Amino acid sequence: MKDGSRTLKRRFITLVDVREVLSISSAQAYALVRSGDLRAIRVGGRCQWRVEIAELEAFIERSYFEPAKES
């Protein structure tokens, strides 16, 4: 959507998009949302999920493996 020189950037993505970004199945994407590991909102009458791009990025950051430091 264009408004003069400004372009509206996409804020939310679908679980299909999440699945593609993370290379996981639809069931795994849904499970991440249902477990609360990936925050999302419900929209529409058919309970469609949307994930804010910033939330997906935060989930990815939290998911990086950090080896335990030796004492």
Side-chain angles (χ1 to χ4, degrees):
M1 225 179 182
K2 289 188 177 182
D3 180 25
S5 63
R6 296 184 326 191
T7 302
L8 181 62
K9 292 186 180 182
R10 208 167 132 182
R11 182 174 174 185
F12 292 94
I13 58 175
T14 66
L15 287 186
V16 171
D17 296 327
V18 170
R19 177 180 64 96
E20 291 173 3
V21 168
L22 297 177
S23 298
I24 59 176
S25 70
S26 295
Q28 289 171 312
Y30 182 71
L32 287 173
V33 169
R34 296 293 293 175
S35 70
D37 290 335
L38 179 60
R39 292 177 37 167
I41 61 170
R42 282 185 177 176
V43 295
R46 294 176 46 193
C47 298
Q48 297 176 4
W49 292 98
R50 296 291 183 272
V51 176
E52 193 170 7
I53 292 171
E55 289 293 337
L56 179 58
E57 293 296 330
F59 169 78
I60 292 169
E61 284 296 317
R62 289 191 309 269
S63 298
Y64 277 106
F65 174 77
E66 295 205 20
K69 296 181 181 180
E70 294 183 28
S71 302

